[in-house]
Amino acid sequence: MLGLFDGFGAKLTIMADVAEVMQFRRLFVETGRDSCWSQAIEAQLRRALSLGHDVQLHLHSGYLNARYRDGVWEQDYADYDLARLGYGIRALIR
């Protein structure tokens, strides 16, 4: 999409799910395998910013305590109520 938008001189707004990207990176660091393409995702977000596109925070808080087992992410859906997160929303967006 970046190439398509750049071809028309348009700018894209990307809503990056920060909790998901953090978990993908954690999995890569812990296992040494980039099963969820964390490096490619982060490179694409950096490239978008360098080209003047907009990257905004998006949050699926179920990923905060998610675990990757047998090739599947198991999310903690109890964390979807942001008002009940014990550590507060501010800690997530610093």
Side-chain angles (χ1 to χ4, degrees), residues 1 14 18-19 21 31 33 35 46 54 62 68 72 74 82 85-86 89-90:
M1 287 184 68
I14 300 170
V18 66
V21 173
T31 66
R33 294 186 329 265
S35 306
R46 282 190 297 274
D54 185 31
Y68 190 72
V72 176
E74 297 173 356
L82 295 178
L85 289 178
I89 191 69
R90 289 183 187 199

Side-chain angles (χ1 to χ4, degrees), residues 34-77:
D34 200 3
S35 306
C36 297
W37 308 282
S38 69
Q39 301 297 294
I41 292 168
E42 291 180 29
Q44 185 178 51
L45 292 173
R46 282 190 297 274
R47 180 171 176 259
L49 286 170
S50 74
L51 295 171
H53 296 282
D54 185 31
V55 176
Q56 295 292 321
L57 172 71
H58 185 72
L59 179 64
H60 286 140
S61 53
Y63 266 103
L64 294 172
N65 293 308
R67 294 290 171 242
Y68 190 72
R69 294 186 189 150
D70 300 321
V72 176
W73 281 100
E74 297 173 356
Q75 294 186 40
D76 184 349
Y77 293 104

